[in-house]
Amino acid sequence: MNIVEVKHLKVWDSNTGKVIIHDSSFEVKQGSCMAIVGKVVVGSPLRAGLSCD
């Protein structure tokens, strides 16, 4: 069973409009872990997420 399912994710920099992730799809199954970590840029906060079940 999937606890998270993402299809055709698009992520862009809100300051420049530059697309960072173009077309990403993934799923997280129950009992698994997933981490998403962003690059640190001067003046920008680090954004990270972690999901474990």
Side-chain angles (χ1 to χ4, degrees), residues 11-13 18-22:
V11 177
W12 62 93
D13 183 316
K18 180 180 176 185
V19 177
I20 301 165
I21 298 175
H22 293 275

Side-chain angles (χ1 to χ4, degrees), residues 17-45:
K18 180 180 176 185
V19 177
I20 301 165
I21 298 175
H22 293 275
D23 185 17
S24 183
S25 298
F26 58 90
E27 55 193 39
V28 179
K29 297 195 180 298
Q30 187 171 4
S32 65
C33 291
M34 177 181 164
I36 301 172
V37 179
K39 180 179 177 183
V40 176
V41 179
V42 175
S44 295

